[in-house]
Amino acid sequence: IMANGTIAFDTLQTSGQIQGTAKSVDTDFIVTGSAKAWAVIEGTGTAAFDDSFNCASLADNGTGNYTATYTNAFSSANHSSTMTVKDTAISARCDGGRATTTVNVQCLNTSFGTVDEDGISLTCHGDLA
């Protein structure tokens, strides 16, 4: 956990977006805008995380349906969850909702049938509890 404050960058070079004498960024700005959980999911065969942050476990609920459990809970079930898949003919959506500790991911083919998929990307933003 990071304490709130500022990050000084006296010796760093900027892209020119910061004007004037400002040489620090409030950590609230960085913490608020950062993803609090993310994962790349292998959904074919034995479902598993290829890589993840703040994700404790993955349940395979059947064809094209997975539940990711967070290591650290969100403060509200109303956090933002964005999902994509590697295959352009298939989409991913939040099905069954979000809770403070889980999010349900469902992969659909072009006929809206559930399908197992690899390369599912999940990114979640919001405040942690």
Side-chain angles (χ1 to χ4, degrees):
I1 297 178
M2 184 160 112
N4 291 340
T6 59
I7 298 173
F9 55 95
D10 296 356
T11 58
L12 298 177
Q13 298 207 0
T14 68
S15 63
Q17 294 176 339
I18 296 178
Q19 302 297 317
T21 59
K23 294 195 186 257
S24 65
V25 176
D26 190 322
T27 56
D28 284 342
F29 178 78
I30 294 170
V31 171
T32 299
S34 300
K36 302 307 187 304
W38 59 262
V40 177
I41 299 169
E42 168 59 60
T44 58
T46 302
F49 294 122
D50 284 338
D51 200 358
S52 68
F53 171 74
N54 194 28
C55 292
S57 63
L58 182 69
D60 187 341
N61 305 321
T63 303
N65 192 306
Y66 317 93
T67 300
T69 300
Y70 306 123
T71 305
N72 298 291
F74 281 85
S75 62
S76 166
N78 295 323
H79 59 281
S80 171
S81 303
T82 305
M83 299 155 212
T84 61
V85 290
K86 185 168 60 173
D87 188 335
T88 58
I90 298 173
S91 66
R93 68 179 185 169
C94 178
D95 181 57
R98 291 177 298 271
T100 58
T101 57
T102 61
V103 63
N104 188 261
V105 179
Q106 186 180 62
C107 295
L108 304 172
N109 62 21
T110 56
S111 300
F112 301 105
T114 55
V115 61
D116 287 340
E117 177 62 41
D118 67 339
I120 304 162
S121 293
L122 167 67
T123 305
C124 305
H125 291 84
D127 293 328
L128 295 178

